[in-house]
Amino acid sequence: MLHLCYSWPVPVDKVKNEAKLLAQTTIIRIEKHTDQFKVSPNVVFSGLELIPDSSSDKALDSLGSVEENLGIFQEILSSLPVDNVDQILADIVNLQIIIRSLAVSIRCAPFKSRNTGQLENFLKNNSTFQFTIGNVALDRLQKYLLKLIRNLDQLKKC
């Protein structure tokens, strides 16, 4: 006997709420992590522009750009010896999965990962500043997630 399985798709609003909840949880984890070590948001050195910065008033562009930016944060945090970020990294990966499922729900083609050679070179060439880079990345990730929570309902393009 052959069994066929069928399930109803999860409503998009429920998936968006899960993404918002996970983003909020990650923000709390970042706050707990960075309470001890504050780095000036005005730190400047060459290459920091490779770390996504959501300080502009511009809304998030698309689900693809969100997934790409989360991937950048994941790569940065996983390549640096920053203590106690394993759960934050897991949250980023899970958030990427949720964003992909949202993209599938609006029939987006699979996202192509971008070339991360520049980012890898930046991290390699600035390895002496890994503590600063890690904290700048966490600060920017926190701001990015806040923006994601505010704008997720308006993201309707691939």
Side-chain angles (χ1 to χ4, degrees), residues 5-58:
C5 294
Y6 179 78
S7 66
W8 294 102
V10 177
V12 172
D13 289 339
K14 183 175 181 184
V15 176
K16 286 182 180 180
N17 287 337
E18 288 176 10
K20 291 176 186 178
L21 180 62
L22 182 55
Q24 187 62 46
T25 302
T26 307
I27 289 168
I28 292 167
R29 287 189 174 115
I30 293 169
E31 286 172 352
K32 287 181 180 180
H33 186 275
T34 57
D35 274 347
Q36 300 172 356
F37 309 103
K38 292 289 183 193
V39 174
S40 171
N42 300 323
V43 171
V44 177
F45 61 89
S46 178
L48 282 181
E49 67 277 358
L50 296 171
I51 303 172
D53 188 2
S54 63
S55 60
S56 71
D57 291 334
K58 183 181 166 192

Side-chain angles (χ1 to χ4, degrees), residues 52-113:
D53 188 2
S54 63
S55 60
S56 71
D57 291 334
K58 183 181 166 192
L60 299 177
D61 187 31
S62 65
L63 292 171
S65 68
V66 170
E67 184 180 3
E68 180 179 349
N69 287 334
L70 290 173
I72 292 169
F73 285 117
Q74 178 191 4
E75 184 173 344
I76 292 167
L77 294 174
S78 64
S79 69
L80 299 174
V82 180
D83 292 334
N84 303 317
V85 294
D86 294 340
Q87 186 60 55
I88 294 169
L89 281 167
D91 291 346
I92 293 171
V93 169
N94 289 328
L95 199 48
Q96 282 181 292
I97 292 168
I98 292 171
I99 295 298
R100 278 187 210 119
S101 70
L102 279 174
V104 167
S105 73
I106 62 169
R107 293 178 173 72
C108 294
F111 301 124
K112 298 174 185 171
S113 64

